[in-house]
Amino acid sequence: MNNFIAIDFETASEQRTTPISVGIVKIENNELNFDQTFFSLINPRTTIFNQISIGKHGLTYEKVKHAPDFIELWNKVLKSLVRENIVIVHQTATDISVIRKCIELYELDQVDFKYISTLEIAKNLKVDVNKFGMKELCNLYNIPYSDNHKSDEDAVALGKLFLELSKSPKFKINKYLKDAFPISFIKSDVYNNSIEDAEEKYQITYAELKTIDFKDKSFIISGDSIESFSRDKIKKAIIAKGGIIKEDISSNLDFLIAGIGVGPAKLTKIDALNSSGKASIKIIPLLYFIDLL
């Protein structure tokens, strides 16, 4: 019989390389094993915290600065847990991306492990909800869930949600299992430098975003969306504000809305266009845009 761990990360910003807490609960014999839970704050090795993220989980640099960093937790705890169990997450683009991006950033030992997404399961089973966020799904199954974004509590709720979904006669575990590292990840200085340059040079602040007139401005969306905010929903919101959707990065582009995992090639192209004076493209973090709505 398979053993599982439900895992939840919170981050300092929209960047997946900034985890600040992790909660884990183990599932054995179709039950949560509360004797095998794990929680830790994490020092993200940056003092830059997104105010929107702070508003969600309440964690600041002062609260996590003495905590172990991801490198220490990976080597002492996380690596063995993900290797020995099937990992349950809600959305691949958040929690699995934290592991992938941090392994890449810190050049840690890559561990092949399997994971499963409750979001994907719920969609495939056509669960009767309007949105497939944790809150909506937990409400459907009468699972206690708080908007406080505490990793330990969210991991427990996630584990309970998985157990409820797995009761469906249509649920087949092998249908949903995925490899966390289906391809080799390339550790590249170009990747890290382009991310850093884009963040430092071109990302606008939330205060600046609130002053933007969207009318006749052009936008491209890159990276994964967040929970119930699909690309179509984001595009409709931009169009409703008078904006124009573009499909490619060019000198005529005004803004890139950056979801989770924006490719380094896009950021490198933006840097090249802006540095040459051919464009003045700004980057809007998706979390900022969602909060603006």
Side-chain angles (χ1 to χ4, degrees):
M1 182 174 291
N2 294 315
N3 288 331
F4 303 85
I5 56 169
I7 189 167
D8 180 81
F9 287 98
E10 296 297 332
T11 57
S13 70
E14 71 283 351
Q15 296 299 325
R16 299 298 98 186
T17 53
T18 63
I20 53 173
S21 70
V22 60
I24 298 173
V25 62
K26 193 164 186 177
I27 298 174
E28 297 176 311
N29 301 317
N30 292 322
E31 292 183 348
L32 297 186
N33 185 342
F34 289 102
D35 292 329
Q36 295 196 46
T37 60
F38 177 80
F39 171 78
S40 179
L41 296 175
I42 305 173
N43 184 329
R45 302 179 75 172
T46 178
T47 59
I48 301 174
F49 276 54
N50 183 306
Q51 290 301 315
I52 297 174
S53 297
I54 293 174
K56 292 179 183 295
H57 50 59
L59 295 174
T60 62
Y61 178 71
E62 288 299 315
K63 293 180 180 180
V64 303
K65 65 180 181 180
H66 297 302
D69 61 16
F70 185 89
I71 298 172
E72 181 178 346
L73 287 176
W74 178 253
N75 289 326
K76 290 184 176 180
V77 180
L78 300 179
K79 180 166 62 174
S80 60
L81 282 176
V82 301
R83 181 171 52 204
E84 296 166 5
N85 301 276
I86 295 173
V87 177
I88 303 167
V89 297
H90 183 58
Q91 188 176 25
T92 304
T94 51
D95 301 292
I96 294 299
S97 286
V98 166
I99 296 174
R100 287 172 174 166
K101 296 296 184 183
C102 285
I103 285 176
E104 182 178 22
L105 176 63
Y106 299 124
E107 299 188 350
L108 301 173
D109 292 337
Q110 183 175 303
V111 174
D112 293 327
F113 66 92
K114 302 284 187 181
Y115 75 91
I116 192 167
S117 162
T118 51
L119 175 64
E120 181 182 349
I121 297 170
K123 285 185 174 181
N124 189 270
L125 295 178
K126 298 180 180 179
V127 174
D128 187 19
V129 289
N130 293 325
K131 298 179 181 179
F132 291 92
M134 277 290 294
K135 182 177 181 179
E136 291 77 16
L137 288 167
C138 285
N139 286 342
L140 177 67
Y141 291 106
N142 296 315
I143 297 170
Y145 181 77
S146 169
D147 287 327
N148 293 331
H149 291 271
K150 297 184 182 298
S151 292
D152 51 349
E153 295 177 3
D154 288 356
V156 169
L158 178 63
K160 291 180 178 180
L161 175 60
F162 170 74
L163 290 175
E164 289 294 334
L165 292 170
S166 66
K167 292 176 182 178
S168 169
K170 296 180 181 179
F171 176 80
K172 304 294 181 185
I173 183 69
N174 290 333
K175 182 176 182 178
Y176 302 103
L177 283 179
K178 293 184 178 180
D179 292 315
F181 294 96
I183 58 173
S184 297
F185 277 60
I186 300 173
K187 300 176 178 66
S188 167
D189 289 338
V190 173
Y191 171 84
N192 290 324
N193 288 339
S194 62
I195 289 287
E196 182 178 349
D197 288 345
E199 284 292 307
E200 186 174 341
K201 293 181 183 178
Y202 311 125
Q203 181 172 303
I204 67 172
T205 66
Y206 184 64
E208 290 172 327
L209 175 60
K210 291 194 292 186
T211 67
I212 291 175
D213 182 0
F214 278 54
K215 185 173 175 57
D216 296 329
K217 297 294 192 302
S218 58
F219 296 79
I220 188 171
I221 304 163
S222 183
D224 294 323
S225 56
I226 298 174
E227 291 192 352
S228 58
F229 279 84
S230 65
R231 286 199 176 210
D232 284 343
K233 188 172 183 178
I234 297 166
K235 288 179 180 179
K236 288 178 181 178
I238 292 170
I239 293 170
K241 290 177 174 290
I244 302 167
I245 302 298
K246 297 286 188 180
E247 298 300 328
D248 299 304
I249 293 174
S250 69
S251 58
N252 296 322
L253 183 68
D254 294 304
F255 298 100
L256 178 142
I257 295 183
I260 300 164
V262 178
K266 287 187 174 66
L267 296 173
T268 301
K269 187 171 184 179
I270 288 174
D271 188 38
L273 286 169
N274 286 353
S275 298
S276 67
K278 295 179 180 179
S280 182
I281 303 168
K282 299 297 183 182
I283 295 175
I284 303 173
L286 179 57
L287 283 175
Y288 287 8
F289 183 76
I290 290 173
D291 191 72
L292 183 69
L293 299 181

